């Protein structure tokens, strides 16, 4: 059994930038501890990645706050997280869930049994999207979300996402 850690969107814009929250800032130490529990080759990180035309996209029209534009400071991983993830595979994803991530893990699961744990930001958007995408692609894989290492847009939507995850047979701890 190979245990994989997925670190979702621990980027400056989500921690303390244009969409940052105190809850996001408060999970950085917990995420660092979690990263240190896994061998680097068993960690994959994602970055929310938008282009200059973000406000013209469907997402930008519904969330008109420019964030995570490729190459900007806000797109970069939080400095401490970036140091901890040095050498780790990073997937740039243009939307909430990463089909590329699901394909990578699906292909790996064909050769070896996997368990996946997700941490990061935001529980109620990108964490839940990736967890459900993985569950849809690999329904028999054990998928866990560590709620102490996640933060939502608001505390209420964080809790709602955790409820949704549990209802979709994703382990919430």
């Amino acid at each position: 059994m190979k245990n994989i850690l997925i670190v979702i969107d621990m980027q400056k814009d989500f921690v303390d930038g244009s969409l940052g929250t105190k809850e996001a800032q408060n999970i950085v130490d917990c995420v660092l501890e979690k990263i240190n529990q896994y061998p680097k080759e068993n960690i994959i990180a994602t970055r929310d990645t938008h282009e200059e035309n973000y406000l013209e996209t469907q997402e930008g029209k519904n969330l008109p706050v420019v964030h995570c534009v490729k190459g900007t400071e806000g797109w970069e991983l939080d400095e401490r997280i970036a140091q901890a993830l040095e050498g780790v595979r990073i997937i740039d994803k243009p939307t909430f869930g990463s089909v590329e991530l699901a394909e990578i893990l699906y292909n790996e699961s064909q050769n070896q049994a996997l368990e996946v744990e997700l941490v990061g930001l935001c529980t109620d958007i990108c964490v839940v999207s990736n967890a459900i995408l993985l569950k849809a692609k690999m329904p028999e894989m054990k998928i866990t979300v560590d709620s102490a290492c996640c933060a939502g847009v608001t505390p209420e939507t964080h809790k709602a996402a955790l409820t949704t995850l549990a209802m979709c047979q994703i382990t919430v701890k």
Side-chain angles (χ1 to χ4, degrees), residues 46-137:
T46 67
R47 280 187 299 220
D48 195 40
T49 302
H50 301 296
E51 302 297 327
E52 295 289 333
N53 70 338
Y54 171 76
L55 292 175
E56 299 167 24
T57 67
Q58 183 68 27
E59 181 182 331
K61 290 174 185 173
N62 286 287
L63 177 63
V65 178
V66 176
H67 65 282
C68 299
V69 173
K70 187 173 186 171
T72 65
E73 185 177 341
W75 174 73
E76 298 292 335
L77 294 170
D78 172 87
E79 189 175 322
R80 293 188 303 151
I81 298 291
Q83 288 173 355
L85 292 176
E86 194 169 315
V88 165
R89 181 172 26 178
I90 298 176
I91 297 171
D92 293 335
K93 56 183 189 57
T95 188
F96 307 135
S98 174
V99 174
E100 180 182 357
L101 173 64
E103 287 297 324
I104 288 169
L105 292 174
Y106 177 79
N107 290 336
E108 285 189 31
S109 75
Q110 299 308 294
N111 301 319
Q112 180 177 14
L114 303 178
E115 286 189 8
V116 174
E117 182 172 18
L118 291 92
V119 299
L121 301 167
C122 295
T123 320
D124 42 354
I125 302 174
C126 293
V127 173
V128 70
S129 295
N130 281 285
I132 290 175
L133 187 61
L134 293 173
K135 191 61 153 174
K137 183 80 174 169

Side-chain angles (χ1 to χ4, degrees), residues 4 13 21 47 57 62 66 74 83 138 145 147 169:
I4 304 286
D13 273 346
T21 64
R47 280 187 299 220
T57 67
N62 286 287
V66 176
Q83 288 173 355
M138 297 159 285
V145 172
S147 64
Q169 300 177 0

